[in-house]
Amino acid sequence: SDLTGAELSVSSPCIGSGVPSTTALRYLQVLEERGYVERVADKADKRRTFVRLTTDARSAMASYSEVTHRDG
């Protein structure tokens, strides 16, 4: 979703992970605490929250991808 600019609701990675929601939410919290993701309230629907990569996480993923393609 980051590459396409689409918003990703918090429930999507929970469902996609294939683990219990409580586990997925706990790991999203860890990623948020480490500065890899941020949660953003949906302006149109206050019941929904989106999750997205932070700038630091995007940079780290780009660096990893660059090294992987260069060395792989």
Coordinates of all heavy atoms in Angstrom, one line a residue:
S1 N 0.8 -1.2 0.0 CA 0.0 0.0 0.0 C 0.9 1.3 0.0 O 0.4 2.3 -0.5 CB -0.9 0.0 1.2 OG -0.2 0.2 2.4
D2 N 2.1 1.1 0.6 CA 2.9 2.3 0.6 C 3.3 2.7 -0.8 O 3.4 3.9 -1.1 CB 4.2 2.0 1.5 CG 5.0 3.2 1.8 OD1 4.4 4.1 2.5 OD2 6.1 3.3 1.3
L3 N 3.6 1.8 -1.6 CA 4.1 2.1 -3.0 C 2.9 2.7 -3.9 O 3.2 3.5 -4.8 CB 4.6 0.9 -3.7 CG 5.9 0.3 -3.0 CD1 6.3 -1.0 -3.7 CD2 7.0 1.3 -3.1
T4 N 1.7 2.2 -3.6 CA 0.6 2.7 -4.4 C -0.1 3.9 -3.8 O -1.0 4.5 -4.5 CB -0.5 1.6 -4.5 OG1 -1.0 1.3 -3.2 CG2 0.1 0.3 -5.2
G5 N 0.2 4.3 -2.6 CA -0.4 5.4 -1.9 C -1.8 5.1 -1.3 O -2.4 6.0 -0.8
A6 N -2.1 3.8 -1.3 CA -3.4 3.4 -0.7 C -3.3 3.4 0.8 O -2.2 3.1 1.3 CB -3.8 2.0 -1.2
E7 N -4.4 3.7 1.5 CA -4.4 3.7 2.9 C -4.6 2.2 3.3 O -5.3 1.5 2.7 CB -5.5 4.5 3.5 CG -5.3 6.0 3.2 CD -4.3 6.7 4.1 OE1 -3.6 6.0 4.9 OE2 -4.1 7.9 3.9
L8 N -4.0 1.8 4.4 CA -4.1 0.5 5.0 C -4.7 0.5 6.4 O -4.1 1.1 7.3 CB -2.7 -0.2 5.0 CG -2.6 -1.6 5.4 CD1 -3.2 -2.5 4.3 CD2 -1.1 -2.0 5.6
S9 N -5.9 0.0 6.5 CA -6.5 0.0 7.9 C -5.8 -0.9 8.8 O -5.1 -1.9 8.3 CB -8.0 -0.4 7.8 OG -8.1 -1.7 7.4
V10 N -5.8 -0.7 10.1 CA -5.1 -1.5 11.0 C -5.6 -2.9 10.9 O -4.8 -3.9 11.1 CB -5.3 -0.9 12.5 CG1 -4.8 -1.9 13.5 CG2 -4.5 0.4 12.6
S11 N -6.8 -3.2 10.6 CA -7.3 -4.5 10.6 C -6.7 -5.3 9.4 O -6.6 -6.6 9.5 CB -8.8 -4.5 10.5 OG -9.2 -3.9 9.3
S12 N -6.3 -4.7 8.4 CA -5.7 -5.4 7.2 C -4.5 -6.2 7.5 O -4.4 -7.4 7.2 CB -5.5 -4.5 6.0 OG -6.7 -4.0 5.5
P13 N -3.4 -5.6 8.2 CA -2.3 -6.4 8.5 C -2.6 -7.5 9.6 O -2.0 -8.5 9.6 CB -1.2 -5.4 9.0 CG -1.9 -4.2 9.3 CD -3.2 -4.2 8.4
C14 N -3.6 -7.2 10.4 CA -4.0 -8.2 11.4 C -4.6 -9.4 10.7 O -4.2 -10.5 11.0 CB -5.0 -7.6 12.4 SG -4.4 -6.3 13.5
I15 N -5.4 -9.2 9.7 CA -6.0 -10.3 9.0 C -5.0 -11.0 8.1 O -4.9 -12.2 8.1 CB -7.2 -9.8 8.1 CG1 -8.3 -9.3 9.0 CG2 -7.7 -10.9 7.2 CD1 -9.4 -8.5 8.3
G16 N -4.2 -10.2 7.4 CA -3.2 -10.8 6.5 C -2.0 -11.5 7.2 O -1.4 -12.4 6.6
S17 N -1.8 -11.2 8.5 CA -0.7 -11.9 9.2 C -1.0 -13.4 9.5 O -0.1 -14.2 9.7 CB -0.4 -11.2 10.5 OG -1.5 -11.3 11.4
G18 N -2.3 -13.7 9.6 CA -2.7 -15.1 9.9 C -2.5 -15.5 11.3 O -2.6 -16.6 11.7
V19 N -2.3 -14.5 12.2 CA -2.1 -14.8 13.6 C -3.3 -14.1 14.3 O -4.1 -13.3 13.7 CB -0.8 -14.2 14.2 CG1 0.4 -14.9 13.5 CG2 -0.7 -12.7 14.1
P20 N -3.6 -14.5 15.6 CA -4.7 -13.8 16.3 C -4.5 -12.3 16.3 O -3.4 -11.8 16.3 CB -4.6 -14.4 17.7 CG -3.9 -15.7 17.5 CD -2.9 -15.5 16.4
S21 N -5.7 -11.6 16.3 CA -5.6 -10.2 16.2 C -4.9 -9.6 17.4 O -4.2 -8.6 17.2 CB -7.1 -9.6 16.2 OG -7.7 -10.0 15.0
T22 N -5.0 -10.2 18.5 CA -4.3 -9.6 19.7 C -2.7 -9.7 19.5 O -2.0 -8.7 19.8 CB -4.6 -10.4 21.0 OG1 -4.4 -11.8 20.8 CG2 -6.0 -10.1 21.4
T23 N -2.3 -10.7 18.8 CA -0.8 -10.9 18.6 C -0.4 -9.8 17.5 O 0.6 -9.1 17.7 CB -0.5 -12.3 18.0 OG1 -0.9 -13.2 19.1 CG2 0.9 -12.4 17.7
A24 N -1.2 -9.7 16.4 CA -0.9 -8.8 15.4 C -0.9 -7.3 15.9 O 0.0 -6.5 15.6 CB -1.9 -8.9 14.2
L25 N -1.9 -7.0 16.8 CA -1.9 -5.6 17.3 C -0.7 -5.4 18.3 O -0.2 -4.3 18.3 CB -3.2 -5.5 18.1 CG -4.5 -5.3 17.2 CD1 -5.8 -5.4 18.1 CD2 -4.5 -4.1 16.4
R26 N -0.3 -6.4 19.0 CA 0.8 -6.3 19.9 C 2.1 -6.0 19.0 O 2.9 -5.1 19.4 CB 1.0 -7.5 20.7 CG 2.1 -7.4 21.7 CD 2.1 -8.6 22.8 NE 2.2 -9.9 22.2 CZ 1.1 -10.7 22.2 NH1 0.0 -10.4 22.8 NH2 1.3 -11.9 21.6
Y27 N 2.3 -6.7 17.9 CA 3.4 -6.4 17.1 C 3.4 -5.1 16.4 O 4.4 -4.4 16.2 CB 3.7 -7.6 16.1 CG 4.4 -8.7 16.8 CD1 3.7 -9.8 17.4 CD2 5.8 -8.7 17.0 CE1 4.4 -10.8 18.0 CE2 6.4 -9.7 17.7 CZ 5.7 -10.7 18.2 OH 6.4 -11.7 18.9
L28 N 2.2 -4.7 16.0 CA 2.0 -3.3 15.4 C 2.5 -2.3 16.4 O 3.1 -1.3 16.1 CB 0.6 -3.1 15.0 CG 0.2 -3.6 13.6 CD1 -1.3 -3.4 13.3 CD2 1.0 -3.0 12.5
Q29 N 2.1 -2.5 17.7 CA 2.5 -1.6 18.8 C 4.0 -1.5 18.9 O 4.6 -0.5 19.0 CB 1.9 -2.0 20.1 CG 2.2 -1.1 21.3 CD 1.7 0.3 21.1 OE1 0.6 0.5 20.6 NE2 2.4 1.3 21.5
V30 N 4.7 -2.7 18.8 CA 6.1 -2.8 18.9 C 6.7 -2.0 17.7 O 7.7 -1.2 17.9 CB 6.6 -4.2 18.9 CG1 8.1 -4.3 18.7 CG2 6.2 -4.9 20.2
L31 N 6.2 -2.2 16.5 CA 6.7 -1.5 15.4 C 6.5 0.0 15.5 O 7.4 0.8 15.1 CB 6.0 -2.0 14.1 CG 6.4 -3.4 13.7 CD1 5.5 -3.9 12.5 CD2 7.9 -3.5 13.3
E32 N 5.4 0.4 16.1 CA 5.2 1.8 16.3 C 6.1 2.4 17.3 O 6.7 3.5 17.1 CB 3.7 2.0 16.8 CG 3.3 3.5 16.9 CD 1.8 3.6 17.2 OE1 1.2 2.7 17.8 OE2 1.3 4.7 16.9
E33 N 6.4 1.7 18.4 CA 7.3 2.1 19.4 C 8.7 2.2 18.9 O 9.5 3.1 19.3 CB 7.3 1.2 20.6 CG 6.0 1.2 21.4 CD 5.9 0.1 22.4 OE1 6.8 -0.8 22.5 OE2 4.8 0.1 23.2
R34 N 9.1 1.4 17.9 CA 10.4 1.4 17.4 C 10.5 2.4 16.2 O 11.6 2.6 15.6 CB 10.8 0.0 16.9 CG 11.0 -0.9 18.1 CD 11.4 -2.3 17.6 NE 11.6 -3.1 18.8 CZ 12.0 -4.4 18.8 NH1 12.3 -4.9 17.6 NH2 12.0 -5.1 19.9
G35 N 9.4 3.1 15.9 CA 9.5 4.1 14.9 C 9.3 3.6 13.4 O 9.7 4.4 12.5
Y36 N 8.9 2.4 13.2 CA 8.7 1.8 11.9 C 7.4 2.1 11.3 O 7.2 2.2 10.0 CB 9.0 0.3 11.9 CG 10.4 0.0 12.2 CD1 10.7 -0.8 13.3 CD2 11.5 0.5 11.5 CE1 12.0 -1.2 13.7 CE2 12.8 0.1 11.8 CZ 13.0 -0.7 12.9 OH 14.3 -1.0 13.3
V37 N 6.3 2.2 12.1 CA 5.0 2.5 11.6 C 4.4 3.6 12.4 O 4.8 3.8 13.5 CB 4.1 1.2 11.6 CG1 4.6 0.1 10.7 CG2 3.8 0.7 12.9
E38 N 3.4 4.2 11.8 CA 2.6 5.2 12.6 C 1.1 5.0 12.3 O 0.7 4.4 11.2 CB 3.0 6.6 12.1 CG 2.8 6.9 10.7 CD 3.3 8.3 10.3 OE1 3.7 9.1 11.1 OE2 3.3 8.6 9.1
R39 N 0.3 5.3 13.3 CA -1.1 5.2 13.1 C -1.7 6.5 12.9 O -1.3 7.5 13.5 CB -1.8 4.6 14.4 CG -1.3 3.2 14.6 CD -1.9 2.6 15.9 NE -1.2 1.5 16.4 CZ -1.7 0.4 16.8 NH1 -3.0 0.3 16.8 NH2 -1.0 -0.6 17.2
V40 N -2.7 6.6 11.9 CA -3.3 7.8 11.5 C -4.8 7.6 11.5 O -5.3 6.7 10.9 CB -2.8 8.3 10.1 CG1 -3.5 9.6 9.7 CG2 -1.3 8.4 10.1
A41 N -5.5 8.5 12.2 CA -7.0 8.4 12.3 C -7.6 8.7 10.9 O -7.1 9.6 10.1 CB -7.5 9.4 13.3
D42 N -8.6 8.0 10.5 CA -9.4 8.2 9.3 C -10.2 9.5 9.5 O -11.0 9.5 10.4 CB -10.2 7.0 9.0 CG -11.0 7.1 7.7 OD1 -11.1 8.2 7.1 OD2 -11.5 6.1 7.2
K43 N -10.0 10.5 8.7 CA -10.7 11.7 8.8 C -12.2 11.6 8.5 O -13.1 12.3 9.0 CB -10.1 12.8 7.9 CG -8.7 13.2 8.4 CD -8.1 14.2 7.4 CE -6.7 14.4 7.9 NZ -5.9 15.2 6.9
A44 N -12.5 10.6 7.6 CA -13.9 10.4 7.2 C -14.7 9.5 8.2 O -15.9 9.5 8.3 CB -14.0 9.8 5.8
D45 N -14.0 8.6 8.9 CA -14.6 7.6 9.8 C -13.8 7.5 11.0 O -12.8 6.8 11.0 CB -14.8 6.3 9.0 CG -15.5 5.2 9.9 OD1 -15.8 5.5 11.1 OD2 -15.9 4.2 9.3
K46 N -14.2 8.1 12.1 CA -13.4 8.2 13.3 C -13.3 6.8 14.0 O -12.5 6.6 14.9 CB -14.0 9.2 14.3 CG -14.0 10.6 13.8 CD -12.6 11.1 13.6 CE -12.6 12.5 13.0 NZ -11.4 13.0 12.6
R47 N -14.0 5.8 13.5 CA -13.9 4.5 14.1 C -12.7 3.7 13.5 O -12.3 2.7 14.0 CB -15.2 3.7 13.9 CG -16.4 4.2 14.5 CD -17.6 3.6 14.0 NE -17.8 3.9 12.6 CZ -18.7 3.3 11.8 NH1 -19.6 2.5 12.3 NH2 -18.8 3.7 10.5
R48 N -12.2 4.2 12.4 CA -11.1 3.5 11.7 C -9.8 4.2 11.8 O -9.7 5.4 11.9 CB -11.5 3.4 10.2 CG -10.5 2.5 9.4 CD -11.0 2.1 8.1 NE -11.4 3.3 7.3 CZ -11.8 3.2 6.0 NH1 -12.0 2.0 5.5 NH2 -12.2 4.2 5.4
T49 N -8.7 3.4 11.9 CA -7.4 3.9 12.0 C -6.5 3.3 10.9 O -6.6 2.1 10.6 CB -6.7 3.6 13.4 OG1 -7.6 4.2 14.4 CG2 -5.3 4.2 13.5
F50 N -5.7 4.1 10.3 CA -4.8 3.6 9.2 C -3.4 3.4 9.8 O -3.0 4.0 10.8 CB -4.7 4.5 8.1 CG -6.0 4.7 7.3 CD1 -6.6 6.0 7.3 CD2 -6.6 3.7 6.7 CE1 -7.7 6.2 6.6 CE2 -7.8 3.9 6.0 CZ -8.4 5.1 6.0
V51 N -2.6 2.5 9.2 CA -1.2 2.3 9.6 C -0.4 2.5 8.4 O -0.8 2.1 7.3 CB -1.0 0.9 10.3 CG1 -1.3 -0.2 9.3 CG2 0.3 0.8 10.8
R52 N 0.8 3.2 8.5 CA 1.7 3.4 7.4 C 3.1 3.4 7.9 O 3.4 3.6 9.1 CB 1.3 4.7 6.7 CG 1.5 5.9 7.6 CD 1.3 7.2 6.8 NE -0.1 7.4 6.4 CZ -0.7 8.5 6.5 NH1 -0.1 9.6 6.9 NH2 -2.0 8.6 6.1
L53 N 4.0 3.1 6.9 CA 5.4 3.1 7.2 C 5.8 4.5 7.5 O 5.4 5.5 6.9 CB 6.2 2.6 6.1 CG 6.1 1.1 5.7 CD1 6.9 0.8 4.5 CD2 6.6 0.3 6.9
T54 N 6.8 4.7 8.4 CA 7.4 6.0 8.7 C 8.5 6.3 7.6 O 8.9 5.4 6.9 CB 8.0 6.1 10.1 OG1 9.1 5.1 10.1 CG2 7.0 5.8 11.2
T55 N 8.9 7.5 7.5 CA 10.0 7.8 6.6 C 11.3 7.0 6.9 O 11.9 6.5 6.0 CB 10.3 9.3 6.7 OG1 9.1 10.1 6.5 CG2 11.4 9.8 5.8
D56 N 11.6 6.8 8.2 CA 12.7 6.0 8.5 C 12.6 4.6 8.1 O 13.5 3.9 7.6 CB 13.0 6.0 10.0 CG 13.5 7.3 10.6 OD1 14.0 8.2 9.7 OD2 13.4 7.6 11.8
A57 N 11.4 4.0 8.2 CA 11.2 2.6 7.7 C 11.3 2.5 6.2 O 11.8 1.6 5.7 CB 9.8 2.2 8.2
R58 N 10.8 3.5 5.5 CA 10.9 3.5 4.0 C 12.4 3.5 3.6 O 12.8 2.8 2.7 CB 10.1 4.7 3.4 CG 8.7 4.4 3.2 CD 8.1 5.6 2.4 NE 6.8 5.9 3.0 CZ 6.6 6.9 3.9 NH1 7.6 7.7 4.2 NH2 5.5 7.1 4.4
S59 N 13.1 4.4 4.3 CA 14.6 4.5 4.0 C 15.3 3.1 4.3 O 16.1 2.7 3.5 CB 15.2 5.6 4.8 OG 14.7 6.8 4.5
A60 N 14.9 2.5 5.4 CA 15.6 1.3 5.8 C 15.2 0.2 4.7 O 16.0 -0.6 4.3 CB 15.1 0.8 7.2
M61 N 13.9 0.1 4.3 CA 13.5 -0.8 3.3 C 14.2 -0.6 2.0 O 14.6 -1.6 1.3 CB 12.0 -0.8 3.1 CG 11.2 -1.2 4.3 SD 11.3 -2.9 4.7 CE 10.3 -3.6 3.4
A62 N 14.4 0.6 1.6 CA 15.1 1.0 0.3 C 16.5 0.5 0.4 O 17.1 0.0 -0.5 CB 14.9 2.4 0.0
S63 N 17.2 0.8 1.5 CA 18.6 0.4 1.7 C 18.7 -1.1 1.7 O 19.6 -1.6 1.0 CB 19.1 0.9 3.0 OG 19.2 2.3 3.0
Y64 N 17.8 -1.8 2.3 CA 17.9 -3.3 2.4 C 17.7 -3.8 0.9 O 18.4 -4.7 0.5 CB 16.8 -3.8 3.3 CG 16.7 -5.3 3.2 CD1 17.6 -6.1 3.9 CD2 15.7 -5.9 2.5 CE1 17.5 -7.5 3.9 CE2 15.6 -7.3 2.5 CZ 16.5 -8.1 3.1 OH 16.4 -9.4 3.1
S65 N 16.7 -3.3 0.2 CA 16.4 -3.7 -1.1 C 17.6 -3.5 -2.0 O 18.0 -4.3 -2.9 CB 15.2 -3.0 -1.6 OG 14.9 -3.4 -3.0
E66 N 18.2 -2.3 -1.9 CA 19.4 -2.0 -2.7 C 20.6 -3.0 -2.5 O 21.2 -3.5 -3.4 CB 19.9 -0.6 -2.4 CG 21.0 -0.1 -3.2 CD 21.4 1.3 -2.9 OE1 20.6 2.2 -2.9 OE2 22.6 1.5 -2.5
V67 N 20.8 -3.3 -1.2 CA 21.9 -4.2 -0.9 C 21.6 -5.6 -1.3 O 22.4 -6.3 -1.9 CB 22.2 -4.2 0.7 CG1 23.0 -5.4 1.1 CG2 22.8 -2.9 1.1
T68 N 20.3 -6.0 -1.2 CA 19.9 -7.4 -1.6 C 20.0 -7.5 -3.1 O 20.5 -8.6 -3.6 CB 18.4 -7.6 -1.2 OG1 18.3 -7.5 0.3 CG2 17.9 -9.0 -1.5
H69 N 19.6 -6.6 -3.8 CA 19.7 -6.6 -5.3 C 21.1 -6.6 -5.8 O 21.5 -7.2 -6.7 CB 18.9 -5.6 -6.0 CG 17.4 -5.8 -5.9 ND1 16.6 -5.1 -5.1 CD2 16.7 -6.7 -6.6 CE1 15.3 -5.6 -5.2 NE2 15.4 -6.6 -6.1
R70 N 22.0 -5.8 -5.1 CA 23.4 -5.7 -5.5 C 24.1 -7.0 -5.2 O 24.9 -7.4 -6.0 CB 24.0 -4.5 -4.7 CG 25.4 -4.2 -5.1 CD 26.0 -3.1 -4.4 NE 26.2 -3.5 -3.0 CZ 25.9 -2.7 -1.9 NH1 25.5 -1.5 -2.1 NH2 26.0 -3.2 -0.7
D71 N 23.9 -7.5 -4.0 CA 24.6 -8.7 -3.5 C 24.0 -10.0 -4.0 O 24.6 -11.1 -3.9 CB 24.8 -8.7 -2.0 CG 25.6 -7.5 -1.5 OD1 26.3 -6.9 -2.3 OD2 25.5 -7.2 -0.3
G72 N 22.7 -10.0 -4.3 CA 22.0 -11.2 -4.6 C 22.0 -11.6 -6.0 O 21.9 -12.7 -6.5

